[in-house]
Amino acid sequence: MSQLFNVYPLYDIEPVRAQGSYLWDANGTRYLDLYGGHAVISVGHTHPRYVQALTDQLHKISFYSNSVHIPQQQELADKLGELSGHTDYSLFLCNSGAEANENALKLASFHTGRKGVVAFTKSFHGRTAGAVAATDNPAIVAPVNSTEHVTFLPFNGIDGLEAGITTSTCAVIVEGIQGVGGIQVATDAFLQALRNRCDETGAVLILDGVQCGYGRTGQFFSHQFSGIRADIISMAKGMGNGFPIGGILIAPEFKASYGLLGTTFGGNHLACTAAIAVLDIMREEGLIENADRLGTYLMDGIRQIGGYKDLRGRGLMIGIEYDFPVENLRHNLLFGHKQFTGVAGKHTIRLLPSLALGTDEADQFLEALSQEVHREDATVSR
């Protein structure tokens, strides 16, 4: 019998049904989902409008390649441009965040004729060749993933930008909020300094919005808080609410030509249908505003509980750092309170719930967190 390639440590849980912010396992146990499968579930599990849109499309046509007209692509581009405030940008569609960043880097290199890339400490941009080379984790960079052309500078560090970003730099790639890196929020001054230095050198500024985009922070893209304009913006995760889709928004200075970029599955009928449904739901249900409101509610509650070392994030992208390893805390939340959370490193709980999270669900988490943190405090005091 063939075996799965064993690269994932698995919890002994088998979700079989989901709705809104909840999952049910094969035994009928209900779990509160505060992680959304790595920030993927944006409008809630099995939202009726989302399910209906995909069902209707399946009865028409599910796939054909980009050799024919797929009108859903233009509808998606129009709605994405309007809701994100980027109506003058072009859209290229692909299948994942890593692929989005690959295409962003490739397009930047075509545009500038340069090779050098600047990325930042604790960055994560994906596991494919170019994206992983710009990811600050040597453990997942194979010898074939050349990193000679990549320079890593300190995240949120301004002093080294003049020397680090030069006229040999093709692209600067940065997350507005680092997810895997621990929910580290880029400062306005840092992003503005990056924009200025890229303007001075002709480098392309790529904002990786794969995890911190799509309304999660209370703006459509997290870098919009700083008032800067990105040259290319990558996105995925919450874009399809679980259906694989990614893309890049491209500033008008970049000129397209046949064959410059390409993909077999990117922008297919089902993927675009899923993404259109997500945008319609986000707009009609005010989910970007809800992310801002519920994020503030959660962070205020976490502050009242206390016991943490640092609290970071924006909207519904929250990191709670403790001065103890959080493995047991996460385990207790999952198995004791039936709540899914994530981690970033050994000391930080990471929250990435659906943008449709309600105050009742937030209160359930806060109550569970309070019990566990106070239990941890009591254990340490003994």
Side-chain angles (χ1 to χ4, degrees):
M1 180 183 293
S2 296
Q3 300 294 320
L4 294 174
F5 197 51
N6 189 20
V7 294
Y8 300 117
L10 301 178
Y11 287 116
D12 189 19
I13 298 172
E14 180 192 352
V16 297
R17 185 167 66 90
Q19 185 175 15
S21 293
Y22 294 97
L23 303 164
W24 286 261
D25 69 13
N27 299 316
T29 302
R30 189 181 76 166
Y31 297 81
L32 175 61
D33 185 8
L34 295 155
Y35 195 56
H38 305 302
V40 167
I41 301 302
S42 50
V43 299
H45 292 283
T46 61
H47 190 290
R49 179 162 181 173
Y50 174 86
V51 172
Q52 189 63 55
L54 284 169
T55 301
D56 291 346
Q57 187 61 49
L58 274 168
H59 286 295
K60 297 173 183 176
I61 179 173
S62 61
F63 174 82
Y64 207 76
S65 73
N66 284 294
S67 60
V68 298
H69 289 287
I70 302 175
Q72 291 92 335
Q73 293 182 354
Q74 186 61 56
E75 182 181 357
L76 174 57
D78 290 342
K79 289 182 173 180
L80 176 59
E82 181 182 356
L83 194 58
S84 70
H86 291 76
T87 54
D88 59 336
Y89 280 51
S90 299
L91 175 64
F92 175 77
L93 292 165
C94 53
N95 309 287
S96 69
E99 190 179 337
N101 284 328
E102 290 280 339
N103 282 286
L105 291 165
K106 182 189 293 186
L107 185 58
S109 187
F110 277 134
H111 182 73
T112 62
R114 305 172 187 173
K115 184 177 180 180
V117 172
V118 169
F120 296 91
T121 52
K122 295 187 177 182
S123 61
F124 187 94
H125 299 293
R127 292 177 179 268
T128 51
V132 80
T135 291
D136 186 24
N137 183 355
I140 63 171
V141 179
V144 72
N145 304 131
S146 173
T147 60
E148 289 85 359
H149 62 292
V150 181
T151 300
F152 290 95
L153 299 179
F155 184 74
N156 272 335
I158 296 176
D159 292 342
L161 298 184
E162 184 172 354
I165 302 170
T166 71
T167 53
S168 297
T169 302
C170 157
V172 175
I173 184 167
V174 63
E175 300 155 89
I177 302 178
Q178 292 184 331
V180 175
I183 315 296
Q184 308 291 338
V185 181
T187 66
D188 292 346
F190 174 61
L191 291 179
Q192 290 161 5
L194 287 181
R195 177 70 275 173
N196 291 337
R197 188 57 181 158
C198 286
D199 288 342
E200 292 168 354
T201 61
V204 172
L205 180 58
I206 301 170
L207 264 295
D208 180 344
V210 169
Q211 187 170 133
C212 60
Y214 251 75
R216 178 156 295 281
T217 61
Q219 292 273 8
F220 198 91
F221 296 113
S222 65
H223 67 269
Q224 290 175 311
F225 283 100
S226 68
I228 67 162
R229 175 183 179 277
D231 297 314
I232 304 175
I233 306 166
S234 60
M235 63 202 116
K237 292 198 182 292
M239 191 174 183
N241 201 51
F243 199 100
I245 183 171
I248 51 176
L249 280 171
I250 306 160
E253 303 90 82
F254 294 79
K255 302 305 176 186
S257 61
Y258 292 148
L260 187 72
L261 304 176
T263 172
T264 297
F265 296 104
N268 67 72
H269 296 78
L270 280 177
C272 287
T273 297
I276 290 166
V278 165
L279 290 174
D280 286 343
I281 294 165
M282 287 174 63
R283 183 186 68 254
E284 292 170 12
E285 298 187 5
L287 295 190
I288 298 176
E289 296 80 4
N290 189 67
D292 180 51
R293 183 169 57 253
L294 265 292
T296 299
Y297 185 85
L298 274 170
M299 293 182 83
D300 286 347
I302 294 165
R303 290 188 186 97
Q304 290 178 21
I305 294 167
Y308 57 81
K309 179 180 178 181
D310 194 17
L311 178 61
R312 301 182 294 270
R314 275 177 166 151
L316 290 175
M317 186 173 186
I318 297 172
I320 319 167
E321 183 180 350
Y322 294 95
D323 58 8
F324 54 84
V326 296
E327 180 180 357
N328 287 338
L329 173 56
R330 185 191 189 193
H331 182 278
N332 292 343
L333 288 169
L334 179 56
F335 291 101
H337 300 272
K338 310 303 180 187
Q339 297 181 5
F340 276 93
T341 60
V343 295
K346 293 183 178 181
H347 294 86
T348 301
I349 292 288
R350 184 165 39 147
L351 303 180
L352 301 164
S354 158
L355 309 189
L357 188 78
T359 53
D360 288 347
E361 290 84 12
D363 285 341
Q364 290 177 48
F365 169 73
L366 292 171
E367 182 179 352
L369 181 68
S370 178
Q371 292 178 24
E372 293 304 323
V373 168
H374 292 151
R375 180 181 293 121
E376 183 72 28
D377 287 343
T379 300
V380 170
S381 67
R382 288 197 298 269

